[in-house]
PDB file of all heavy atoms in Angstrom:
ATOM      1  N   MET A  28     -12.652 -68.854  -1.289  1.00  0.00           N
ATOM      2  CA  MET A  28     -13.498 -69.776  -0.450  1.00  0.00           C
ATOM      3  C   MET A  28     -14.903 -69.293  -0.287  1.00  0.00           C
ATOM      4  O   MET A  28     -15.927 -69.947  -0.253  1.00  0.00           O
ATOM      5  CB  MET A  28     -12.856 -69.935   0.909  1.00  0.00           C
ATOM      6  CG  MET A  28     -11.729 -70.882   1.019  1.00  0.00           C
ATOM      7  SD  MET A  28     -10.922 -70.905   2.619  1.00  0.00           S
ATOM      8  CE  MET A  28     -12.262 -71.457   3.556  1.00  0.00           C
ATOM      9  N   GLU A  31     -16.942 -69.775  -3.461  1.00  0.00           N
ATOM     10  CA  GLU A  31     -17.344 -71.072  -3.537  1.00  0.00           C
ATOM     11  C   GLU A  31     -18.466 -71.407  -2.526  1.00  0.00           C
ATOM     12  O   GLU A  31     -19.484 -72.138  -2.879  1.00  0.00           O
ATOM     13  CB  GLU A  31     -16.193 -72.051  -3.364  1.00  0.00           C
ATOM     14  CG  GLU A  31     -15.177 -71.988  -4.379  1.00  0.00           C
ATOM     15  CD  GLU A  31     -13.873 -72.784  -4.217  1.00  0.00           C
ATOM     16  OE1 GLU A  31     -13.854 -73.527  -3.131  1.00  0.00           O
ATOM     17  OE2 GLU A  31     -13.062 -72.798  -5.001  1.00  0.00           O
ATOM     18  N   ALA A  32     -18.386 -70.877  -1.385  1.00  0.00           N
ATOM     19  CA  ALA A  32     -19.530 -71.066  -0.403  1.00  0.00           C
ATOM     20  C   ALA A  32     -20.860 -70.423  -0.777  1.00  0.00           C
ATOM     21  O   ALA A  32     -21.903 -70.970  -0.622  1.00  0.00           O
ATOM     22  CB  ALA A  32     -19.137 -70.537   0.893  1.00  0.00           C
ATOM     23  N   GLN A  33     -20.651 -69.292  -1.325  1.00  0.00           N
ATOM     24  CA  GLN A  33     -21.917 -68.519  -1.943  1.00  0.00           C
ATOM     25  C   GLN A  33     -22.493 -69.377  -3.047  1.00  0.00           C
ATOM     26  O   GLN A  33     -23.728 -69.479  -3.234  1.00  0.00           O
ATOM     27  CB  GLN A  33     -21.605 -67.162  -2.389  1.00  0.00           C
ATOM     28  CG  GLN A  33     -21.190 -66.263  -1.353  1.00  0.00           C
ATOM     29  CD  GLN A  33     -20.763 -64.993  -1.753  1.00  0.00           C
ATOM     30  OE1 GLN A  33     -20.050 -64.802  -2.867  1.00  0.00           O
ATOM     31  NE2 GLN A  33     -20.829 -63.918  -0.920  1.00  0.00           N
ATOM     32  N   ILE A  35     -22.624 -72.775  -3.225  1.00  0.00           N
ATOM     33  CA  ILE A  35     -23.234 -73.926  -2.711  1.00  0.00           C
ATOM     34  C   ILE A  35     -24.251 -73.640  -1.706  1.00  0.00           C
ATOM     35  O   ILE A  35     -24.869 -74.527  -1.052  1.00  0.00           O
ATOM     36  CB  ILE A  35     -22.178 -74.932  -2.184  1.00  0.00           C
ATOM     37  CG1 ILE A  35     -21.447 -74.343  -0.922  1.00  0.00           C
ATOM     38  CG2 ILE A  35     -21.178 -75.362  -3.227  1.00  0.00           C
ATOM     39  CD1 ILE A  35     -20.557 -75.409  -0.149  1.00  0.00           C
ATOM     40  N   LEU A  36     -24.517 -72.325  -1.425  1.00  0.00           N
ATOM     41  CA  LEU A  36     -25.312 -71.948  -0.272  1.00  0.00           C
ATOM     42  C   LEU A  36     -26.716 -72.596  -0.233  1.00  0.00           C
ATOM     43  O   LEU A  36     -27.020 -73.112   0.783  1.00  0.00           O
ATOM     44  CB  LEU A  36     -25.567 -70.382  -0.338  1.00  0.00           C
ATOM     45  CG  LEU A  36     -26.540 -69.819   0.587  1.00  0.00           C
ATOM     46  CD1 LEU A  36     -26.056 -69.950   1.975  1.00  0.00           C
ATOM     47  CD2 LEU A  36     -26.774 -68.277   0.349  1.00  0.00           C
ATOM     48  N   TYR A  38     -27.866 -75.466  -1.818  1.00  0.00           N
ATOM     49  CA  TYR A  38     -27.990 -76.936  -1.781  1.00  0.00           C
ATOM     50  C   TYR A  38     -27.153 -77.582  -0.854  1.00  0.00           C
ATOM     51  O   TYR A  38     -27.087 -78.761  -0.598  1.00  0.00           O
ATOM     52  CB  TYR A  38     -27.867 -77.488  -3.279  1.00  0.00           C
ATOM     53  CG  TYR A  38     -26.440 -77.306  -3.966  1.00  0.00           C
ATOM     54  CD1 TYR A  38     -25.466 -78.187  -3.795  1.00  0.00           C
ATOM     55  CD2 TYR A  38     -26.164 -76.149  -4.617  1.00  0.00           C
ATOM     56  CE1 TYR A  38     -24.158 -78.002  -4.363  1.00  0.00           C
ATOM     57  CE2 TYR A  38     -24.953 -75.873  -5.303  1.00  0.00           C
ATOM     58  CZ  TYR A  38     -23.910 -76.991  -5.104  1.00  0.00           C
ATOM     59  OH  TYR A  38     -22.734 -76.652  -5.695  1.00  0.00           O
ATOM     60  N   GLN A  39     -26.143 -76.815  -0.278  1.00  0.00           N
ATOM     61  CA  GLN A  39     -25.423 -77.335   0.909  1.00  0.00           C
ATOM     62  C   GLN A  39     -25.167 -76.292   1.979  1.00  0.00           C
ATOM     63  O   GLN A  39     -24.029 -75.802   2.133  1.00  0.00           O
ATOM     64  CB  GLN A  39     -24.067 -77.827   0.422  1.00  0.00           C
ATOM     65  CG  GLN A  39     -24.084 -79.115  -0.284  1.00  0.00           C
ATOM     66  CD  GLN A  39     -22.686 -79.635  -0.603  1.00  0.00           C
ATOM     67  OE1 GLN A  39     -21.847 -78.809  -1.080  1.00  0.00           O
ATOM     68  NE2 GLN A  39     -22.450 -80.859  -0.469  1.00  0.00           N
ATOM     69  N   PRO A  40     -26.236 -75.782   2.583  1.00  0.00           N
ATOM     70  CA  PRO A  40     -26.118 -74.565   3.451  1.00  0.00           C
ATOM     71  C   PRO A  40     -25.232 -74.890   4.654  1.00  0.00           C
ATOM     72  O   PRO A  40     -24.651 -73.967   5.274  1.00  0.00           O
ATOM     73  CB  PRO A  40     -27.516 -74.285   3.818  1.00  0.00           C
ATOM     74  CG  PRO A  40     -28.372 -75.525   3.503  1.00  0.00           C
ATOM     75  CD  PRO A  40     -27.688 -76.245   2.548  1.00  0.00           C
ATOM     76  N   ASP A  41     -25.179 -76.140   5.104  1.00  0.00           N
ATOM     77  CA  ASP A  41     -24.457 -76.525   6.206  1.00  0.00           C
ATOM     78  C   ASP A  41     -22.947 -76.278   5.973  1.00  0.00           C
ATOM     79  O   ASP A  41     -22.156 -75.821   6.746  1.00  0.00           O
ATOM     80  CB  ASP A  41     -24.789 -77.856   6.801  1.00  0.00           C
ATOM     81  CG  ASP A  41     -24.700 -78.924   5.701  1.00  0.00           C
ATOM     82  OD1 ASP A  41     -24.958 -78.562   4.591  1.00  0.00           O
ATOM     83  OD2 ASP A  41     -24.446 -80.248   5.923  1.00  0.00           O
ATOM     84  N   GLU A  42     -22.538 -76.747   4.687  1.00  0.00           N
ATOM     85  CA  GLU A  42     -21.167 -76.535   4.253  1.00  0.00           C
ATOM     86  C   GLU A  42     -20.841 -75.057   4.227  1.00  0.00           C
ATOM     87  O   GLU A  42     -19.693 -74.663   4.540  1.00  0.00           O
ATOM     88  CB  GLU A  42     -20.840 -77.300   2.976  1.00  0.00           C
ATOM     89  CG  GLU A  42     -20.786 -78.728   3.174  1.00  0.00           C
ATOM     90  CD  GLU A  42     -19.740 -79.268   4.081  1.00  0.00           C
ATOM     91  OE1 GLU A  42     -18.516 -78.715   4.015  1.00  0.00           O
ATOM     92  OE2 GLU A  42     -20.020 -80.105   4.980  1.00  0.00           O
ATOM     93  N   ALA A  43     -21.680 -74.273   3.628  1.00  0.00           N
ATOM     94  CA  ALA A  43     -21.508 -72.870   3.470  1.00  0.00           C
ATOM     95  C   ALA A  43     -21.386 -72.123   4.876  1.00  0.00           C
ATOM     96  O   ALA A  43     -20.575 -71.240   5.037  1.00  0.00           O
ATOM     97  CB  ALA A  43     -22.730 -72.191   2.745  1.00  0.00           C
ATOM     98  N   LEU A  44     -22.115 -72.673   5.835  1.00  0.00           N
ATOM     99  CA  LEU A  44     -22.125 -72.202   7.231  1.00  0.00           C
ATOM    100  C   LEU A  44     -20.684 -72.490   7.838  1.00  0.00           C
ATOM    101  O   LEU A  44     -20.121 -71.581   8.475  1.00  0.00           O
ATOM    102  CB  LEU A  44     -23.187 -72.671   7.969  1.00  0.00           C
ATOM    103  CG  LEU A  44     -23.364 -72.318   9.493  1.00  0.00           C
ATOM    104  CD1 LEU A  44     -23.622 -70.799   9.481  1.00  0.00           C
ATOM    105  CD2 LEU A  44     -24.490 -73.058  10.165  1.00  0.00           C
ATOM    106  N   LYS A  45     -20.196 -73.573   7.540  1.00  0.00           N
ATOM    107  CA  LYS A  45     -18.886 -74.042   8.030  1.00  0.00           C
ATOM    108  C   LYS A  45     -17.834 -73.064   7.502  1.00  0.00           C
ATOM    109  O   LYS A  45     -16.959 -72.683   8.237  1.00  0.00           O
ATOM    110  CB  LYS A  45     -18.517 -75.422   7.833  1.00  0.00           C
ATOM    111  CG  LYS A  45     -19.326 -76.351   8.599  1.00  0.00           C
ATOM    112  CD  LYS A  45     -19.024 -77.849   8.272  1.00  0.00           C
ATOM    113  CE  LYS A  45     -20.002 -78.831   8.900  1.00  0.00           C
ATOM    114  NZ  LYS A  45     -19.805 -80.194   8.371  1.00  0.00           N
ATOM    115  N   ILE A  46     -17.843 -72.851   6.259  1.00  0.00           N
ATOM    116  CA  ILE A  46     -16.927 -72.039   5.498  1.00  0.00           C
ATOM    117  C   ILE A  46     -17.002 -70.574   6.075  1.00  0.00           C
ATOM    118  O   ILE A  46     -16.037 -69.921   6.375  1.00  0.00           O
ATOM    119  CB  ILE A  46     -17.040 -71.994   4.015  1.00  0.00           C
ATOM    120  CG1 ILE A  46     -16.673 -73.364   3.568  1.00  0.00           C
ATOM    121  CG2 ILE A  46     -16.196 -71.025   3.332  1.00  0.00           C
ATOM    122  CD1 ILE A  46     -17.102 -73.665   2.047  1.00  0.00           C
ATOM    123  N   ALA A  47     -18.213 -70.031   6.258  1.00  0.00           N
ATOM    124  CA  ALA A  47     -18.443 -68.741   6.803  1.00  0.00           C
ATOM    125  C   ALA A  47     -17.850 -68.645   8.155  1.00  0.00           C
ATOM    126  O   ALA A  47     -17.187 -67.607   8.556  1.00  0.00           O
ATOM    127  CB  ALA A  47     -19.940 -68.440   6.775  1.00  0.00           C
ATOM    128  N   ALA A  48     -18.037 -69.582   8.929  1.00  0.00           N
ATOM    129  CA  ALA A  48     -17.454 -69.579  10.395  1.00  0.00           C
ATOM    130  C   ALA A  48     -15.880 -69.609  10.249  1.00  0.00           C
ATOM    131  O   ALA A  48     -15.319 -68.839  11.077  1.00  0.00           O
ATOM    132  CB  ALA A  48     -17.911 -70.786  11.224  1.00  0.00           C
ATOM    133  N   HIS A  49     -15.425 -70.374   9.400  1.00  0.00           N
ATOM    134  CA  HIS A  49     -13.856 -70.338   9.222  1.00  0.00           C
ATOM    135  C   HIS A  49     -13.431 -68.966   8.833  1.00  0.00           C
ATOM    136  O   HIS A  49     -12.403 -68.540   9.429  1.00  0.00           O
ATOM    137  CB  HIS A  49     -13.510 -71.344   8.261  1.00  0.00           C
ATOM    138  CG  HIS A  49     -12.078 -71.377   7.790  1.00  0.00           C
ATOM    139  ND1 HIS A  49     -11.119 -71.876   8.667  1.00  0.00           N
ATOM    140  CD2 HIS A  49     -11.415 -70.820   6.728  1.00  0.00           C
ATOM    141  CE1 HIS A  49      -9.872 -71.582   8.066  1.00  0.00           C
ATOM    142  NE2 HIS A  49     -10.100 -71.006   6.886  1.00  0.00           N
ATOM    143  N   LEU A  66     -22.903 -64.402   4.654  1.00  0.00           N
ATOM    144  CA  LEU A  66     -23.150 -65.740   4.245  1.00  0.00           C
ATOM    145  C   LEU A  66     -23.618 -66.645   5.310  1.00  0.00           C
ATOM    146  O   LEU A  66     -24.504 -67.445   5.104  1.00  0.00           O
ATOM    147  CB  LEU A  66     -21.696 -66.245   3.703  1.00  0.00           C
ATOM    148  CG  LEU A  66     -21.627 -67.736   3.347  1.00  0.00           C
ATOM    149  CD1 LEU A  66     -22.593 -68.068   2.125  1.00  0.00           C
ATOM    150  CD2 LEU A  66     -20.219 -68.151   3.037  1.00  0.00           C
ATOM    151  N   SER A  70     -26.991 -68.770   5.185  1.00  0.00           N
ATOM    152  CA  SER A  70     -26.940 -70.170   5.467  1.00  0.00           C
ATOM    153  C   SER A  70     -28.037 -70.573   6.538  1.00  0.00           C
ATOM    154  O   SER A  70     -28.725 -71.550   6.321  1.00  0.00           O
ATOM    155  CB  SER A  70     -25.669 -70.602   5.878  1.00  0.00           C
ATOM    156  OG  SER A  70     -24.695 -70.387   4.819  1.00  0.00           O
ATOM    157  N   MET A  74     -31.582 -72.805   6.273  1.00  0.00           N
ATOM    158  CA  MET A  74     -31.755 -73.990   7.056  1.00  0.00           C
ATOM    159  C   MET A  74     -32.938 -73.790   8.108  1.00  0.00           C
ATOM    160  O   MET A  74     -33.297 -74.766   8.806  1.00  0.00           O
ATOM    161  CB  MET A  74     -30.480 -74.292   7.837  1.00  0.00           C
ATOM    162  CG  MET A  74     -29.406 -74.885   6.928  1.00  0.00           C
ATOM    163  SD  MET A  74     -27.928 -75.509   7.799  1.00  0.00           S
ATOM    164  CE  MET A  74     -27.323 -74.077   8.692  1.00  0.00           C
TER     165      MET A  74
END
Side-chain angles (χ1 to χ4, degrees):
M28 284 176 63
E31 289 173 5
Q33 289 169 335
I35 65 168
L36 173 63
Y38 64 90
Q39 287 183 318
D41 52 336
E42 287 300 314
L44 184 62
K45 289 175 187 174
I46 293 170
H49 172 78
L66 176 62
S70 298
M74 293 187 296

